[in-house]
Amino acid sequence: MGVLIIMKFKLLILACLVCVSAAAQTSLGDMTLEEKARCVVGIERSEFPPTNKGVCARTAPFPKYGINSLVLADGSSGVRLSRREQDRATAFPSNMALASSWDTELVQKVGAAAGYEARGYDINVLLAPGMNIIRNPLCGRNFEYYSEDPVITGKMGAAFVDGVQSNGVAVSVKHFTCNNQETNRGHVNTVVGKRALRELYLKGFEICVREASPWTLMTSYNSLDGVPVQESYWLINGILRGEWGFDGLVMTDWSFVPHNTVAQIHAGNDFLTPGCADQVRDIIDGVNNGTLDMADLDRACSKVIQLGTRTWHGGSASAPDLTPGAEMSALAACEGAVLLENNGMLPLAGGKAALFGVRSYDLVAVGSGSAYVVSPHVIQINDAFRSAGISIDTELEDLYRKYVAFASADIAYNEKVKVSIGLPLLPELELRRSLIDKAADRDDYAVITLGRTAEEGIDRGLKGDYYLTDTEKTLISNICEAFHARGKKVAVVLNIAGIIETESWKHLPDAILNVWLPGQEGGAAVCDLLTGAANPSGRLAVTFPADYFDCPSALDFPYDKPEQGRNYDRTEYSEGIYVGYRYFCTKGVKVSYPFGYGLSYTSFDYSALKVRSTCKGISVSFTVTNSGPVSGREAAGVYVSAPSGGLDKPSGELKAFAKTRLLAPGESETVSVEIPASWLASFNEEAGKWQVARGQYVIHVGANVESPRLSAKIKRK
Ligand code: BGC
């Protein structure tokens, strides 16, 4: 039934597309120059209707041509409505968490749930997903992005796009491209070699465009090799449209930074956001003085009209039902959580819990900035424990609750809240050792939750963000000492917006569970995962380095907050293609947790690896068996090592991945994946083209990039 509906919907979309160019032509032919100019520039906020719901931009309506105003709203973690309004939307786990699920079907469903809510709020375009590569741990928007790997990024992005657009709501895949730092994001000149650009920074976008046909895409603020991306004809009309066949609308990122309007349209942008009267004037002048071709303006205008025919229109009578979203959010929070350590403490055996850390009572559900979502509720860890019938230390709960109430009422904190989109973090509470000792006497185990948030426009720092604060370090060591002295165990829950340092302290607690920014149902997910009601199946889609300065991009990133110059005005990606695991594995640098790492309460055997060369590429199949005591899911990566000779290659690269269904103990699943031949290619900068190396390839299978479970060789001619 569901399949039938989806097929019908796809046919409808196809029919719409056929009519699109005809509709666009008709209106275009009648439109004046001024109307065309207004069509491709967002209307000013003062012209927004009063019912506007936290919307970021609108297109101009032209009732006489039957052209409606399209509504654009942010959507990195769900629909962003204004904090001042009554309406609420589901806060989903951040993209970093979703990617850790290694489950594209799940991400498709999250996209469908977010698209459904967007449609319910009469939104035509959801400004998501963020698809930049996680190049450095400190980028302020990493939580909005999926991975350090382009295949995970591309596949996750495609799944999300498919889900959102199945509702007749457009996405805007962003920020195209090389927006990998937030410091000086409007002006920084990113200098990237063509090979790294093609193989990493464009690849994810390419996969998403080719596989999911997003209806819109957003160009980034930064420059690439001296040319503002928004003005790059080569990137937009050349690569995106020319090479990949993108047929949707290209919009600019919110250009608070002045740009050359004529160059933006000529390069291939079809819609300028948020939009102002000066841009309309620039376009009219450009056509009149011959600097802008009418053909470019017509293209842009027809893309706006086309978008209107693709997206759903109707007008919803009431706010959407948020129940399906909550269910998806809860599931995704569990699936994306990664169990990093467990010496037998988990799943919890019962007893009374001492919940430490402000975040146990005040979870960071979503990140800040345009990804912030005002959700109907956020389930806290202490409340989830209580609902699950687990006894918790109420003296500690009382203390933390009072602290949260007191600190949230602080005037300085409230000044920060007023100017931020999202919620700034309350600082961690320092606890006296005697208080911890008393808790260790009366409770059976401890859970310490540590949190981090992040936002656009600013990168994360090293001290007290990437590295733990002194208060956090003391908290962990005092609690571990006190509980261990009494033969009791300690788990740390990480509620973080990105990669943090773990190497120096990970040996202290008995278990570490990383739930990232888990969305509004996060507390319940933590409780389910710790108690074993859910079995952790997330795997890292990024590397946790042993230290920040082990990262290949460490020095070519504004970690020291420069005011100008290197990494402020100009950032050179001198590590080339050696980003994330491509660097650590190839150069043999020890990491804290490798790409693909994650523990489970069960174990999996791999067998029967078969690889076959086909005209399309390489077919890989293998069997995964649950060899442990409880049901669980396994995420498996297929890594390819290329033959030596020719271009240098990383020791292995992820080319496909899959996640099994929930396997009962003893149950098996045969996983089959295809690696397209073109994905074996590397970009030869000198020749200016993709080249596939001939010879013997080794295919490794297993989740963790450092520990393949099976390998097989195959020759490509
Ligand atoms: C962000 C975009 C966002 C837009 C609208 C910009 O500052 O970079 O990701 O969609 O604002 O809020």
Side-chain angles (χ1 to χ4, degrees):
M1 181 66 181
V3 175
L4 212 68
I5 294 173
I6 292 169
M7 275 176 62
K8 272 193 182 162
F9 191 75
K10 287 196 169 159
L11 280 177
L12 194 74
I13 291 172
L14 212 70
C16 284
L17 294 187
V18 177
C19 309
V20 172
S21 51
Q25 285 308 323
T26 319
S27 324
L28 265 185
D30 297 335
M31 282 172 117
T32 64
L33 171 60
E34 193 198 325
E35 284 172 337
K36 287 180 187 173
R38 286 203 294 116
C39 181
V40 303
V41 175
I43 60 176
E44 302 223 11
R45 201 153 264 276
S46 54
E47 294 171 50
F48 282 14
T51 54
N52 193 62
K53 292 187 196 304
V55 154
C56 305
R58 299 184 76 113
T59 64
F62 295 95
K64 66 175 172 182
Y65 305 122
I67 296 174
N68 295 321
S69 173
L70 301 176
V71 180
L72 289 70
D74 275 311
S76 277
S77 308
V79 183
R80 177 160 78 91
L81 302 165
S82 160
R83 222 192 298 152
R84 283 174 291 279
E85 276 143 5
Q86 298 298 312
D87 296 308
R88 297 284 181 264
T90 302
F92 295 98
S94 64
N95 281 351
M96 234 176 162
L98 292 180
S100 305
S101 73
W102 290 53
D103 184 348
T104 50
E105 249 175 67
L106 173 94
V107 174
Q108 196 275 352
K109 288 183 187 152
V110 169
Y116 160 79
E117 291 183 15
R119 177 173 166 154
Y121 282 119
D122 296 330
I123 287 156
N124 303 89
V125 186
L126 198 64
L127 303 168
M131 292 195 56
N132 294 94
I133 289 293
I134 296 178
R135 168 180 177 254
N136 181 281
L138 301 184
C139 171
R141 294 189 91 167
N142 277 348
F143 72 94
E144 292 187 62
Y145 304 147
Y146 293 111
S147 174
E148 65 192 29
D149 180 84
V151 169
I152 294 252
T153 300
K155 290 281 184 183
M156 290 293 164
F160 185 83
V161 169
D162 192 58
V164 174
Q165 293 191 168
S166 68
N167 290 280
V169 172
V171 294
S172 192
V173 168
K174 64 191 189 183
H175 310 87
F176 180 80
T177 182
C178 295
N179 184 180
N180 310 98
Q181 76 180 51
E182 287 299 294
T183 305
N184 195 24
R185 65 175 171 162
H187 300 279
V188 63
N189 179 25
T190 311
V191 180
V192 192
K194 292 279 183 293
R195 180 170 178 199
L197 180 68
R198 294 280 188 161
E199 292 183 23
L200 298 182
Y201 300 101
L202 290 177
K203 193 72 190 170
F205 288 105
E206 179 181 357
I207 294 171
C208 179
V209 165
R210 289 190 193 273
E211 296 192 0
S213 302
W215 292 341
T216 94
L217 172 143
M218 190 189 292
T219 46
S220 58
Y221 290 124
N222 55 288
S223 292
L224 179 65
D225 290 329
V227 181
V229 170
Q230 301 189 352
E231 297 173 20
S232 173
Y233 188 94
W234 174 69
L235 277 173
I236 308 171
N237 273 336
I239 294 180
L240 175 68
R241 288 209 161 99
E243 291 184 26
W244 306 343
F246 178 75
D247 87 325
L249 171 147
V250 178
M251 70 179 74
T252 61
D253 197 348
W254 269 234
S255 293
F256 306 110
V257 182
H259 269 280
N260 180 335
T261 311
V262 164
Q264 285 175 315
I265 299 281
H266 172 66
N269 294 281
D270 308 304
F271 185 61
L272 308 184
T273 67
C276 67
D278 285 351
Q279 289 168 309
V280 174
R281 177 67 25 226
D282 288 347
I283 293 170
I284 296 171
D285 290 349
V287 172
N288 285 336
N289 66 28
T291 49
L292 180 63
D293 257 355
M294 187 56 119
D296 287 335
L297 180 56
D298 282 350
R299 182 218 64 237
C301 208
S302 65
K303 290 291 174 191
V304 177
I305 298 169
Q306 169 183 271
L307 179 63
T309 61
R310 284 178 159 178
T311 68
W312 179 81
H313 292 279
S316 308
S318 56
D321 175 10
L322 303 185
T323 326
E327 282 166 12
M328 271 321 298
S329 186
L331 180 64
C334 284
E335 294 287 321
V338 185
L339 183 61
L340 297 174
E341 299 286 339
N342 186 16
N343 70 3
M345 177 185 183
L346 303 179
L348 293 170
K352 187 171 164 201
L355 300 180
F356 290 99
V358 176
R359 310 273 79 87
S360 290
Y361 306 86
D362 184 24
L363 194 80
V364 196
V366 287
S368 289
S370 54
Y372 187 71
V373 175
V374 192
S375 56
H377 58 250
V378 172
I379 296 189
Q380 302 300 338
I381 297 175
N382 61 323
D383 292 333
F385 267 59
R386 183 169 282 113
S387 306
I390 302 170
S391 152
I392 61 172
D393 185 321
T394 48
E395 276 180 53
L396 278 180
E397 185 184 45
D398 211 42
L399 172 81
Y400 276 106
R401 274 195 174 154
K402 282 188 180 131
Y403 168 75
V404 170
F406 179 76
S408 319
D410 179 65
I411 296 175
Y413 177 78
N414 277 289
E415 286 310 308
K416 272 198 217 162
V417 172
K418 272 190 214 154
V419 294
S420 98
I421 308 177
L423 288 179
L425 283 199
L426 297 173
E428 191 49 76
L429 184 60
E430 283 179 33
L431 293 185
R432 280 196 317 275
R433 178 59 198 257
S434 56
L435 189 148
I436 295 172
D437 283 331
K438 281 188 191 142
D441 284 336
R442 59 181 183 250
D443 301 325
D444 297 306
Y445 62 91
V447 175
I448 312 168
T449 310
L450 301 180
R452 293 286 182 275
T453 191
E455 66 184 298
E456 68 185 82
I458 178 166
D459 288 309
R460 294 173 52 212
L462 283 178
K463 200 163 173 272
D465 191 342
Y466 177 79
Y467 297 111
L468 297 191
T469 62
D470 291 343
T471 307
E472 289 168 331
K473 283 189 220 159
T474 313
L475 200 63
I476 294 179
S477 59
N478 281 347
I479 293 170
C480 287
E481 244 177 59
F483 277 73
H484 288 165
R486 292 159 177 83
K488 298 175 181 177
K489 295 198 167 181
V490 179
V492 170
V493 172
L494 297 178
N495 170 205
I496 49 178
I499 301 161
I500 62 166
E501 191 274 330
T502 49
E503 183 68 9
S504 69
W505 60 270
K506 67 182 184 186
H507 59 283
L508 294 175
D510 302 279
I512 304 177
L513 175 69
N514 175 15
V515 294
W516 303 110
L517 301 179
Q520 66 181 43
E521 310 294 319
V526 169
C527 178
D528 284 353
L529 290 158
L530 293 180
T531 55
N535 186 353
S537 64
R539 306 285 185 261
L540 296 176
V542 289
T543 307
F544 274 52
D547 186 70
Y548 173 78
F549 290 99
D550 292 342
C551 292
S553 61
L555 297 177
D556 291 312
F557 189 87
Y559 71 92
D560 49 359
K561 306 271 180 273
E563 292 290 294
Q564 56 184 12
R566 182 171 163 177
N567 302 329
Y568 186 83
D569 300 323
R570 182 179 192 279
T571 301
E572 190 165 342
Y573 291 12
S574 47
E575 71 283 358
I577 57 164
Y578 293 99
V579 171
Y581 73 85
R582 284 171 167 73
Y583 169 79
F584 295 112
C585 292
T586 312
K587 310 286 175 199
V589 177
K590 187 178 167 293
V591 301
S592 189
Y593 297 111
F595 180 86
Y597 176 87
L599 304 174
S600 166
Y601 297 147
T602 191
S603 53
F604 297 95
D605 285 345
Y606 283 64
S607 60
L609 173 61
K610 293 192 188 95
V611 294
R612 200 162 51 87
S613 205
T614 68
C615 54
K616 289 192 185 149
I618 300 177
S619 290
V620 181
S621 74
F622 52 94
T623 301
V624 177
T625 305
N626 182 347
S627 51
V630 292
S631 298
R633 300 184 72 195
E634 171 69 328
V638 178
Y639 299 91
V640 174
S641 302
S644 51
L647 295 177
D648 62 310
K649 300 264 196 176
S651 54
E653 289 182 288
L654 187 83
K655 295 294 173 189
F657 60 94
K659 191 151 185 188
T660 66
R661 62 176 189 276
L662 189 71
L663 297 175
E667 205 183 343
S668 300
E669 180 175 330
T670 296
V671 174
S672 303
V673 293
E674 302 289 326
I675 302 171
S678 62
W679 290 15
L680 300 175
S682 298
F683 192 80
N684 185 328
E685 293 189 356
E686 275 170 28
K689 59 180 185 199
W690 291 95
Q691 286 176 344
V692 180
R694 291 195 187 136
Q696 186 161 269
Y697 284 80
V698 187
I699 313 294
H700 307 281
V701 173
N704 174 345
V705 67
E706 282 187 358
S707 322
R709 306 290 297 276
L710 299 171
S711 300
K713 293 179 178 156
I714 188 164
K715 274 218 161 88
R716 295 284 300 176
K717 292 185 189 130

